[in-house]
Amino acid sequence: MKADLYIRVSTDEQADKGFSQRDQEERLRKYCHNNQISIRKVIFEDHSAKTFDRPEWRNMLLDLKKRKDQIDVILFTKWDRFSRNAGDTYQMINVLRRLGIEPQAIEQPLDMAVPENKIMLAVYLAAPEVENDRRALNVLYGMRRAKKEGRWMGPAPVGYANKITEDMRKYIAPVEPYAGIMKWVFNMMVTGQYQVEQLYREARLKGIRCCKTNF
């Protein structure tokens, strides 16, 4: 049996534990060695799995269509390395099968000839997306809670500086005379008698040093 090894990480996954290209390659090579599978090619991809419109995947598929019967299987570690879109995944599996190639995740093996395994495939594809959405929500809730507690979550605005207390709580502190100038700017702005451009020029004359966008 001959195989191509497909190793994919997206840019934002590079630093995550267990997603490194080296780690995936090591596990795939060990699997092939233990199962007497010869390796034809190793494909490295640094692209999102939201679609199959990925440079290395396109090149590999074009190569396989031009020269059929080169391999029997495409191996990857988990199904979310192959794709994170259930509809696209089923279509691509059918494309590969017409070429006589079986895609398979060595850590989540599925016999796609068994109809019920399509349910498991959907679970494997959806689980990472659910985890990402949950992580994003947790970050959002954390930021909201921090703001309610009076903590500033980003770079300090003009006239202030980011500080950290002894117990590692972040806050912003005024930096004079710039904080005083910015307070004056806000007081003038709420009167409704000035445009931002006017106040920016006045603030510059008073000593504020920042670009108009930051202002």
Side-chain angles (χ1 to χ4, degrees):
M1 180 179 288
K2 292 183 179 180
D4 278 359
L5 308 184
Y6 184 68
I7 298 168
R8 187 194 66 79
V9 291
S10 60
T11 303
D12 58 351
E13 292 172 331
Q14 289 282 7
D16 289 352
K17 182 178 179 181
F19 282 124
S20 73
Q21 292 182 339
R22 186 183 304 172
D23 179 66
Q24 291 181 57
E25 183 179 8
E26 181 180 341
R27 283 181 280 164
L28 288 166
R29 287 188 178 278
K30 183 177 181 181
Y31 176 87
C32 290
H33 176 76
N34 293 339
N35 291 275
Q36 290 78 51
I37 299 173
S38 61
I39 300 171
R40 183 188 75 108
K41 187 185 296 185
V42 181
I43 298 97
F44 294 94
E45 187 88 78
D46 180 8
H47 209 275
S48 170
K50 292 180 180 179
T51 72
F52 281 99
D53 186 19
R54 313 170 206 153
E56 297 303 324
W57 181 268
R58 289 199 307 267
N59 292 338
M60 180 189 69
L61 194 60
L62 185 62
D63 179 50
L64 293 173
K65 287 179 177 179
K66 286 181 178 179
R67 295 179 290 177
K68 295 183 179 181
D69 303 321
Q70 297 181 88
I71 61 170
D72 305 293
V73 62
I74 296 175
L75 296 176
F76 34 90
T77 53
K78 295 182 178 181
W79 280 103
D80 67 325
R81 302 298 91 200
F82 181 68
S83 175
R84 291 192 175 186
N85 183 302
D88 287 351
T89 297
Y90 297 135
Q91 291 181 15
M92 185 56 68
I93 288 174
N94 290 333
V95 170
L96 293 173
R97 280 183 168 175
R98 287 196 291 270
L99 297 173
I101 301 168
E102 190 75 19
Q104 192 58 262
I106 63 171
E107 296 180 11
Q108 298 168 330
L110 291 174
D111 182 359
M112 299 309 296
V114 179
E116 289 76 12
N117 279 344
K118 291 184 178 179
I119 298 175
M120 285 304 303
L121 176 57
V123 172
Y124 288 145
L125 295 173
E129 197 67 24
V130 171
E131 182 182 352
N132 288 341
D133 290 348
R134 171 50 56 191
R135 188 181 298 116
L137 278 176
N138 290 340
V139 170
L140 178 62
Y141 294 152
M143 292 178 67
R144 285 178 177 173
R145 171 54 57 187
K147 289 179 179 179
K148 286 181 179 180
E149 293 175 357
R151 286 183 280 159
W152 189 268
M153 300 306 297
V158 177
Y160 294 81
N162 293 97
K163 301 286 185 179
I164 302 177
T165 64
E166 291 183 358
D167 59 352
M168 303 306 291
R169 292 174 65 86
K170 296 181 179 180
Y171 70 102
I172 57 173
V175 177
E176 297 298 349
Y178 310 110
I181 299 171
M182 292 307 299
K183 289 177 183 177
W184 172 84
V185 168
F186 276 99
N187 287 330
M188 292 299 100
M189 193 68 193
V190 296
T191 65
Q193 299 177 15
Y194 299 90
Q195 297 294 323
V196 174
E197 183 70 31
Q198 293 175 282
L199 292 174
Y200 177 64
R201 289 198 299 266
E202 290 295 327
R204 294 274 297 179
L205 291 174
K206 289 176 178 291
I208 285 293
R209 293 292 178 265
C210 69
C211 68
K212 191 185 299 184
T213 301
N214 286 344
F215 181 80

